[in-house]
Amino acid sequence: MIQQGTKQWVIQGQLLQRMLSAENDQKLQTGSFHVGTMPWLLEIYPNSSGEFGINLRNLEMPSTWEYVRIRSTISIIELLVQQTSITKYASGEGIKWGSKVLSFQEAQNAQPTRLT
């Protein structure tokens, strides 16, 4: 069964300032959203490697499913970065943005007024 959906998270104002001044592994996250029948959330944070971390997490997968295969595209329009991946996702795991896509320092130095 194919399920499709899109989540756009606009980060601006106080939330953007909190993100750009966050400590290592201090996460900001969306509320839950559905793609098809499953709830998900996005987390964004600076990680201990100095990278800009983004996780996509499933909150509830049907118990009879062993895994789902996901094609995801994560992009930040204002910083001209994008990554598309196809991932086999098992319950309880997270999907992380690939390493060395964008450093947290680069995001701070860009001084964006918003991130989409």
Side-chain angles (χ1 to χ4, degrees):
M1 167 175 30
I2 296 176
Q3 299 182 5
Q4 297 180 357
T6 301
K7 172 64 177 173
Q8 182 180 35
W9 185 14
V10 178
I11 302 172
Q12 57 189 358
Q14 286 183 324
L15 183 59
L16 177 61
Q17 294 311 310
R18 280 184 31 218
M19 186 203 75
L20 293 175
S21 62
E23 299 294 325
N24 285 345
D25 297 323
Q26 182 182 349
K27 296 179 181 177
L28 302 173
Q29 63 186 29
T30 64
S32 66
F33 59 93
H34 281 77
V35 174
T37 59
M38 294 193 304
W40 299 84
L41 65 79
L42 282 169
E43 300 172 319
I44 190 166
Y45 60 95
N47 65 26
S48 57
S49 301
E51 297 168 352
F52 193 61
I54 298 177
N55 289 342
L56 174 63
R57 280 197 312 129
N58 177 260
L59 300 176
E60 183 180 341
M61 187 183 320
S63 60
T64 57
W65 293 10
E66 211 174 299
Y67 65 89
V68 294
R69 192 165 305 276
I70 298 169
R71 181 187 158 274
S72 62
T73 300
I74 297 175
S75 59
I76 302 175
I77 296 167
E78 293 81 1
L79 301 180
L80 303 174
V81 294
Q82 177 173 305
Q83 178 183 356
T84 299
S85 62
I86 298 174
T87 308
K88 185 177 175 180
Y89 178 91
S91 183
E93 295 177 350
I95 298 171
K96 295 185 179 201
W97 180 328
S99 64
K100 303 195 191 292
V101 175
L102 178 69
S103 78
F104 188 66
Q105 188 67 47
E106 287 174 306
Q108 289 176 318
N109 290 345
Q111 298 180 354
T113 57
R114 75 186 244 160
L115 298 174
T116 308

